[in-house]
Amino acid sequence: MAAKDDAMRCAGKLGMVASVAANLITLAWIIRRRYFGGGKGGSGKNKEEEMSMVEASTGKPPVTHDSIVNLDHGDPTMYQAFWRGTGDRATIVIPGSQTMSYFSDVAGFCWFLEPQFETEVRRLHRLVGNAVEEGYHVLVGTGSTQLFQAVIYALSPAADGTPMNVVSPAPYYSSYPSVTNYLTSGLYRWAGDANTFNSDNCIELVCSPNNPDGGIRKAVVKSGRAVHDLAYYWPQYTAITEAANHDIMLFTVSKCTGHAGTRLGWALVKDKEVALRMIKFIELNTIGVSKDSQLRAAKILRAVTNGYDLSPAVEANRLFHFARRQMVERWNKLRAVVAATAIFSLPDDLPGYCTFFKETIASTAPFAWLRYEKEDVDDLEGFLREEKIMTRGGTRFGADGRVVRVSMLDTDEAFNVFIERLASLT
Amino acid sequence: MAAKDDAMRCAGKLGMVASVAANLITLAWIIRRRYFGGGKGGSGKNKEEEMSMVEASTGKPPVTHDSIVNLDHGDPTMYQAFWRGTGDRATIVIPGSQTMSYFSDVAGFCWFLEPQFETEVRRLHRLVGNAVEEGYHVLVGTGSTQLFQAVIYALSPAADGTPMNVVSPAPYYSSYPSVTNYLTSGLYRWAGDANTFNSDNCIELVCSPNNPDGGIRKAVVKSGRAVHDLAYYWPQYTAITEAANHDIMLFTVSKCTGHAGTRLGWALVKDKEVALRMIKFIELNTIGVSKDSQLRAAKILRAVTNGYDLSPAVEANRLFHFARRQMVERWNKLRAVVAATAIFSLPDDLPGYCTFFKETIASTAPFAWLRYEKEDVDDLEGFLREEKIMTRGGTRFGADGRVVRVSMLDTDEAFNVFIERLASLT
């Protein structure tokens, strides 16, 4: 694909290229702009109304039977179906004069944290039981990506002043190496697979359930500093088996409620000095975090928690029940088609007793780590691209090319077309 | 001040400490938490309404006759008075299911840019005439701070692979050195005052009107790559004398409309490759920019531009007229009190013919660069802190300690208490 090659070339020296650009350029070739920003005016609105209208984007264009299905990113548009039904409970209204200041909480621990967002984060963890929040500082970041960088800044450099090594057991999230290395910082550097790293002088990223393969992880390096990326430790993806109480835990609204465009993550941090250094990073990087996003996220998290107090106790009010059912249905479909084709394999499901659902459940990971089991294809990402299915190849995760990561979080339409196409491969 | 010293120590190795932390800790000592997050429930709301309420923070606490006046940051709360009068025209409503995707414009040049925000940016520049937008790529960033980092990333390293030198003529914005150096990148490094930098192999930051002193600037390094920080090139601060058409121009909503908490900036970039590298940086740094902030900023900018079409043509509809009058009044008061005390001085105003207001106007800069003219004080920041006036000392800007930067953009209450206290000094 020439467009992809061009994109790879112009991305330059990093070596590790996030596939966002490459795949988007491919898509852009095919999709016309008409999906965006069209349809202004008309339709009986008066002048004042029309003047004040702002149209939001709609994300990726709808999938059709023939179109490209982009499952490269974990774009959580599956959740839109839930949020279309929540009405005012999840709608945020921000008047022009609100939250204009840089400051959210001058007297608080984190000056740019909206107090209401912190309140809702703590309430949600108490509802779900997936993490201990008492005794932890809550920090907010522009997605957990910014918080990840804040953490490695806070824990670096090594005691002897050399760059701190950053490791994670393969297969690891493809962004860890690129985000660690893009500025060639003197404070830290990517040092690869934690399983083969032969020193304890490191920061270990422990992603559990793991992106890309859904595995349940514990730190493998004994005396390194562990950072727990718990973006997917929610009951729609895995059994909640304990309230996690690690020193540093990262979460994101994207994968919990589906609001990726809001770019909001949070961290629970035990140690005060580490938290202060993380705040310093976010001050220097972006002078705090969008208050509009924080207010919206507070409203969204509040709707999730309050939904469990509403009658009737139905899926339309209960996000995790809605999302869990969706994930179970999707995994059942995927496992059936993979069994039928007999050329692919998937990781085992990992049953566990879930303290939230109060029953034993199988894991239903946000990504399928799909392996090709025959000898004739070395580049499964490329093979699937020929079928107009965009995925992310295993080499990006420190694995081999015969495995890919496939998002399970896209719209029903995209997922179903993916299943149809997979079924046609034998 | 012990609290400040503590803050300085724990900020660690940077040497250059953003004063956010230091001054906030001082403030936090004095202010009680009751200003934030209080007053829930009650007041006749029904249960459903109460359940869905999210309270926004109010920024810094109100200033009283005896309290600390924090004019360290350019916190643009002056503008709240305008936005309290704009009603629905500037109110954004975001339903729970909107803009959940990572993507704003898959087929566009910048995949995370909301098309409506781009439209409003271009409309505003056409209204004000402060920059050429035709033929430029519009990029969005989490404040112009993120865009600044995106630019230096895009233009680095030097051709021989060594770190690119980043310079600006003193006095320069105090964040330039710290934001350039905090990650000790191998791609770029802060190299100080452009006036004394003896090579052309550099990126020169040209801030005009200049933060901190309001000066009108042109690039001083002949063959360096110039980056124009035009955060303050709006008619409330300076005469608009031409539509700027530099290669790379940075703007921010904060200083144009007063919405600092929205953390939104934009860049106009001529060269496609530079723009693509900047997009790459923002992808890696924060996977795009908050869509909630972009939608809100689009609505706000739209209200500004459309305000100039409304009848009657009064200040309540015309942001730049409102802000200009405020700034003129404040500068008149400040110049009068500075003349009366006879111990301070200020930069000259810089009259010019403004193509927006269609008359010759004096500059009314967003910061006062206030110099102490007697011999007995070397640390003017410390001297004013004793008077409970928080400012930012000259050494932070590559100047001397007998000058400070004072924000002119705070609330009327804060500004007036500042003027009273200044008047009492002789």
Side-chain angles (χ1 to χ4, degrees):
Chain A
M1 289 228 149
K4 175 147 187 170
D5 291 345
D6 284 352
M8 301 284 274
R9 263 198 304 280
C10 74
K13 79 180 98 41
L14 271 180
M16 191 84 50
V17 183
S19 68
V20 175
N23 279 342
L24 287 175
I25 289 170
T26 312
L27 271 175
W29 266 41
I30 294 150
I31 299 158
R32 277 181 293 167
R33 278 192 77 110
R34 71 185 152 90
Y35 292 108
F36 301 96
K40 264 178 229 139
S43 69
K45 295 181 193 76
N46 67 33
K47 192 187 169 207
E48 181 75 358
E49 263 179 323
E50 240 179 78
M51 277 179 73
S52 69
M53 271 183 60
V54 164
E55 280 182 65
S57 64
T58 55
K60 291 179 293 189
V63 163
T64 64
H65 201 72
D66 299 325
S67 67
I68 284 181
V69 180
N70 185 353
L71 302 175
D72 174 5
H73 309 91
D75 201 26
T77 43
M78 175 189 93
Y79 292 90
Q80 279 168 356
F82 177 85
W83 293 107
R84 277 194 287 266
T86 49
D88 288 349
R89 290 199 302 123
T91 298
I92 185 84
V93 178
I94 310 180
S97 64
Q98 204 173 76
T99 54
M100 296 182 66
S101 174
Y102 284 103
F103 300 100
S104 290
D105 190 359
V106 172
F109 182 78
C110 177
W111 62 268
F112 52 79
L113 173 62
E114 284 288 307
Q116 193 75 53
F117 177 68
E118 174 174 359
T119 299
E120 297 303 334
V121 161
R122 292 187 187 275
R123 285 185 71 213
L124 184 66
H125 282 304
R126 288 197 298 271
L127 171 74
V128 175
N130 60 340
V132 174
E133 51 79 28
E134 213 182 317
Y136 281 82
H137 300 288
V138 173
L139 303 182
V140 65
T142 311
S144 59
T145 300
Q146 186 181 42
L147 288 163
F148 160 65
Q149 291 163 84
V151 168
I152 58 176
Y153 171 82
L155 301 178
S156 297
D160 63 0
T162 60
M164 181 64 97
N165 296 298
V166 179
V167 300
S168 190
Y172 41 71
Y173 177 31
S174 52
S175 283
Y176 291 156
S178 49
V179 171
T180 305
N181 279 347
Y182 72 120
L183 292 171
T184 64
S185 172
L187 303 178
Y188 45 72
R189 66 180 163 215
W190 177 249
D193 187 349
N195 292 310
T196 56
F197 183 71
N198 56 8
S199 155
D200 279 343
N201 191 18
C202 65
I203 298 167
E204 180 183 349
L205 302 164
V206 184
C207 186
S208 185
N210 189 44
N211 176 357
D213 68 352
I216 303 302
R217 292 281 184 90
K218 300 222 176 286
V220 302
V221 181
K222 284 200 179 59
S223 60
R225 294 294 295 263
V227 175
H228 283 77
D229 180 347
L230 303 185
Y232 306 102
Y233 191 44
W234 296 101
Q236 64 269 50
Y237 305 125
T238 192
I240 302 303
T241 55
E242 61 177 357
N245 63 350
H246 311 290
D247 287 353
I248 302 168
M249 300 185 277
L250 306 184
F251 294 91
T252 167
V253 172
S254 298
K255 300 312 188 297
C256 172
T257 72
H259 292 81
T262 292
R263 309 304 316 119
L264 211 69
W266 70 91
L268 300 179
V269 181
K270 212 175 256 178
D271 184 74
K272 185 180 167 186
E273 295 306 316
V274 171
L276 286 171
R277 289 269 300 164
M278 290 175 69
I279 290 170
K280 187 86 207 155
F281 176 90
I282 293 169
E283 254 177 61
L284 287 161
N285 193 218
T286 53
I287 320 186
V289 175
S290 163
K291 301 198 189 322
D292 309 307
S293 285
Q294 291 188 62
L295 292 179
R296 185 172 189 214
K299 187 87 187 235
I300 294 291
L301 296 189
R302 191 174 177 80
V304 173
T305 305
N306 287 355
Y308 279 86
D309 286 335
L310 290 178
S311 306
V314 292
E315 256 187 25
N317 292 329
R318 298 175 150 211
L319 176 73
F320 300 117
H321 286 71
F322 165 88
R324 170 77 192 159
R325 181 184 51 77
Q326 289 268 28
M327 295 303 292
V328 168
E329 287 174 11
R330 289 181 178 196
W331 272 97
N332 287 345
K333 280 188 194 173
L334 179 62
R335 288 196 185 277
V337 76
V338 162
T341 59
I343 57 173
F344 294 108
S345 69
L346 288 166
D348 294 334
D349 58 17
L350 302 163
Y353 181 78
C354 178
T355 56
F356 180 78
F357 286 123
K358 300 204 176 5
E359 60 178 331
T360 297
I361 62 172
S363 64
T364 46
F367 296 105
W369 188 234
L370 185 71
R371 181 169 286 284
Y372 191 75
E373 292 290 350
K374 288 177 34 180
E375 298 293 317
D376 56 329
V377 170
D378 286 329
D379 171 18
L380 182 56
E381 179 187 331
F383 176 78
L384 292 173
R385 197 191 302 121
E386 296 296 309
E387 307 295 327
K388 295 194 279 186
I389 302 169
M390 316 284 274
T391 63
R392 195 172 295 185
T395 55
R396 300 274 310 284
F397 303 88
D400 62 277
R402 290 163 70 184
V403 63
V404 294
R405 191 193 76 169
V406 186
S407 170
M408 296 290 284
L409 303 181
D410 220 287
T411 57
D412 280 343
E413 293 71 26
F415 182 76
N416 290 333
V417 171
F418 161 63
I419 291 290
E420 275 172 33
R421 293 203 191 145
L422 210 60
S424 73
L425 303 174
T426 44
Chain B
M1 291 233 144
K4 174 144 188 173
D5 292 343
D6 284 353
M8 302 285 274
R9 263 198 303 279
C10 77
K13 78 180 100 41
L14 270 179
M16 193 83 50
V17 183
S19 68
V20 175
N23 280 343
L24 287 176
I25 288 169
T26 313
L27 272 176
W29 266 39
I30 293 148
I31 300 157
R32 278 181 293 165
R33 280 194 77 111
R34 71 186 154 89
Y35 292 108
F36 299 97
K40 261 176 234 144
S43 71
K45 296 180 193 81
N46 68 33
K47 194 188 167 208
E48 183 75 356
E49 263 179 324
E50 240 179 77
M51 278 180 72
S52 69
M53 272 182 61
V54 164
E55 280 181 66
S57 63
T58 55
K60 290 179 294 188
V63 163
T64 64
H65 201 71
D66 300 325
S67 67
I68 285 180
V69 180
N70 185 353
L71 303 175
D72 174 5
H73 309 91
D75 201 27
T77 43
M78 175 188 93
Y79 291 90
Q80 279 168 358
F82 178 84
W83 293 106
R84 277 194 289 266
T86 49
D88 288 351
R89 289 201 300 123
T91 298
I92 184 83
V93 177
I94 311 180
S97 63
Q98 204 174 75
T99 54
M100 295 183 66
S101 174
Y102 284 103
F103 300 100
S104 290
D105 191 357
V106 173
F109 182 77
C110 176
W111 61 268
F112 52 79
L113 172 62
E114 284 289 305
Q116 193 75 55
F117 177 69
E118 174 174 358
T119 300
E120 297 303 334
V121 160
R122 292 187 187 276
R123 286 185 71 215
L124 183 66
H125 283 304
R126 288 197 298 269
L127 171 73
V128 176
N130 60 340
V132 173
E133 51 78 28
E134 213 182 317
Y136 281 83
H137 300 288
V138 173
L139 303 183
V140 64
T142 311
S144 60
T145 300
Q146 187 181 41
L147 288 163
F148 160 65
Q149 291 163 83
V151 168
I152 59 177
Y153 171 83
L155 301 178
S156 298
D160 63 1
T162 60
M164 181 64 97
N165 296 298
V166 179
V167 300
S168 189
Y172 41 72
Y173 176 30
S174 51
S175 283
Y176 290 157
S178 49
V179 171
T180 305
N181 280 346
Y182 72 120
L183 292 171
T184 64
S185 172
L187 302 178
Y188 45 73
R189 66 180 163 214
W190 177 248
D193 187 350
N195 292 311
T196 57
F197 183 72
N198 55 10
S199 156
D200 279 342
N201 191 17
C202 66
I203 298 166
E204 180 183 350
L205 302 163
V206 183
C207 185
S208 185
N210 189 44
N211 176 357
D213 68 352
I216 303 302
R217 293 280 184 90
K218 299 223 176 287
V220 302
V221 181
K222 284 201 178 61
S223 60
R225 293 294 295 263
V227 175
H228 283 76
D229 180 347
L230 302 185
Y232 306 101
Y233 190 44
W234 296 101
Q236 64 268 52
Y237 305 126
T238 192
I240 302 303
T241 54
E242 60 177 359
N245 63 350
H246 311 291
D247 287 354
I248 303 168
M249 301 185 276
L250 307 183
F251 294 91
T252 168
V253 171
S254 298
K255 300 311 189 297
C256 172
T257 72
H259 293 81
T262 292
R263 309 303 317 118
L264 212 69
W266 70 91
L268 299 178
V269 181
K270 210 174 259 179
D271 183 74
K272 184 180 167 186
E273 295 305 317
V274 172
L276 286 171
R277 290 269 300 163
M278 291 176 68
I279 290 170
K280 187 86 207 154
F281 176 90
I282 293 170
E283 253 178 60
L284 288 162
N285 193 218
T286 53
I287 319 184
V289 175
S290 163
K291 302 198 189 323
D292 309 307
S293 286
Q294 291 187 63
L295 292 179
R296 186 173 189 213
K299 186 87 187 236
I300 293 290
L301 297 189
R302 190 172 177 82
V304 173
T305 305
N306 287 355
Y308 280 86
D309 286 335
L310 291 179
S311 308
V314 291
E315 256 186 24
N317 292 330
R318 298 175 152 211
L319 176 73
F320 301 117
H321 287 71
F322 164 89
R324 171 77 191 158
R325 181 185 50 78
Q326 288 268 29
M327 294 303 291
V328 168
E329 287 174 11
R330 289 182 176 196
W331 273 97
N332 287 345
K333 280 188 194 175
L334 180 63
R335 290 197 184 277
V337 75
V338 162
T341 59
I343 57 174
F344 293 108
S345 69
L346 288 166
D348 293 335
D349 58 16
L350 302 164
Y353 182 79
C354 178
T355 56
F356 180 78
F357 286 122
K358 300 203 173 14
E359 60 179 331
T360 297
I361 62 172
S363 64
T364 47
F367 297 105
W369 188 234
L370 186 71
R371 181 169 286 284
Y372 191 76
E373 291 290 351
K374 288 177 31 178
E375 298 294 317
D376 56 329
V377 170
D378 287 330
D379 172 19
L380 181 56
E381 179 187 332
F383 176 78
L384 292 173
R385 197 190 303 121
E386 296 295 310
E387 306 295 326
K388 296 193 280 187
I389 302 169
M390 317 284 275
T391 63
R392 196 172 295 186
T395 54
R396 301 275 310 285
F397 303 89
D400 62 277
R402 290 163 71 182
V403 63
V404 294
R405 191 194 76 168
V406 186
S407 170
M408 295 290 283
L409 303 181
D410 220 288
T411 57
D412 280 343
E413 294 71 25
F415 182 77
N416 289 333
V417 171
F418 161 64
I419 291 290
E420 276 171 34
R421 292 203 190 143
L422 209 60
S424 73
L425 303 172
T426 45

